[in-house]
């Protein structure tokens, strides 16, 4: 949503038609591709006819590989998470020639590395949420006893938006 507010064409990836509809219709992304679709690779190709210049990566796995195959020269990638590998799936990189040929930059993104920017980010994002320009959705589970199943559900797409466990 932040990229869209800055004027970028934004393609999202989500699991299932309902989540893709939300990403497209409620969050305002230009396109959303269902990574559970049997035609996912072809759908990604169609969604990115001019390639990909920037990627904020949270998942890894097949969605990440499909994005790497569509990078434009000098694209930039921020790796913020690799949830597809959190249960032990390998995180191997594809053909390393992509790094040379596409000359992209890839960097890990850990929020705590940027704590000096937290007050500014909180004010900006908080203002966007308060004004309705930035939307979010949460799945809330009640009680500490619900935490293990909440984690399992998160890893398997059983949430819609941010997964939270309410303790009190």
């Amino acid at each position: 949503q932040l990229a869209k507010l800055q004027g970028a064409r934004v393609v999202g990836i989500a699991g299932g038609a309902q989540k893709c509809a939300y990403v497209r219709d409620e969050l305002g992304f230009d396109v959303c591709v269902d990574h559970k679709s049997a035609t996912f690779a072809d759908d990604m190709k169609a969604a990115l006819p001019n390639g990909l210049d920037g990627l904020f990566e949270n998942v890894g796995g097949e969605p990440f590989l499909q994005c790497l195959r569509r990078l434009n020269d000098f694209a930039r990638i921020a790796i913020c998470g690799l949830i597809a590998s959190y249960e032990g799936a390998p995180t191997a990189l594809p053909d390393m020639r992509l790094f040379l040929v596409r000359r992209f930059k890839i960097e890990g993104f850990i929020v705590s590395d940027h704590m000096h920017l937290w007050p500014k980010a909180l004010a900006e994002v908080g203002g966007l949420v308060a004004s309705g320009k930035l939307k979010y959705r949460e799945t809330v589970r009640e009680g500490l006893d619900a935490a293990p199943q909440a984690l399992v559900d998160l890893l398997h797409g059983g949430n819609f938006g941010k997964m939270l466990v309410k303790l009190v």
Side-chain angles (χ1 to χ4, degrees):
Q1 292 177 78
L2 295 173
K4 189 69 182 166
L5 288 169
Q6 294 297 315
R9 179 176 185 274
V10 179
V11 175
I13 300 172
Q18 183 183 16
K19 289 180 181 180
C20 280
Y22 174 76
V23 167
R24 192 181 52 252
D25 301 339
E26 294 294 321
L27 302 182
F29 286 36
D30 296 287
V31 179
C32 187
V33 181
D34 182 356
H35 70 81
K36 294 181 179 181
S37 168
T39 58
F40 176 61
D42 291 334
D43 297 343
M44 284 294 293
K45 187 175 183 179
L48 297 165
N50 299 316
L52 183 61
D53 294 316
L55 174 62
F56 191 82
E57 182 59 48
N58 286 308
V59 176
E62 188 63 23
F64 183 45
L65 292 175
Q66 291 300 324
C67 288
L68 286 176
R69 291 182 179 128
R70 284 152 186 81
L71 290 175
N72 290 327
D73 293 349
F74 307 106
R76 297 185 310 175
I77 303 170
I79 305 261
C80 183
L82 296 168
I83 199 166
S85 66
Y86 291 176
E87 291 184 293
T91 57
L93 289 171
D95 186 343
M96 292 294 288
R97 288 179 293 177
L98 283 173
F99 287 82
L100 176 64
V101 175
R102 293 289 177 226
R103 301 172 306 282
F104 60 83
K105 294 180 182 173
I106 187 168
E107 184 173 7
F109 179 82
I110 307 291
V111 172
S112 60
D113 290 343
H114 307 281
M115 291 308 292
H116 64 284
L117 297 171
W118 185 252
K120 179 181 176 185
L122 189 58
E124 181 180 336
V125 171
L128 291 169
V129 170
S131 71
K133 292 180 181 175
L134 189 66
K135 299 175 184 179
Y136 65 94
R137 195 161 167 181
E138 299 171 338
T139 297
V140 180
R141 303 290 168 80
E142 299 282 338
L144 187 57
D145 290 344
Q149 187 61 49
L151 177 60
V152 170
D153 291 346
L154 172 70
L155 294 172
H156 294 250
N159 59 303
F160 205 116
K162 179 67 77 178
M163 176 66 84
L164 301 171
V165 176
K166 185 176 181 180
L167 300 178
V168 291

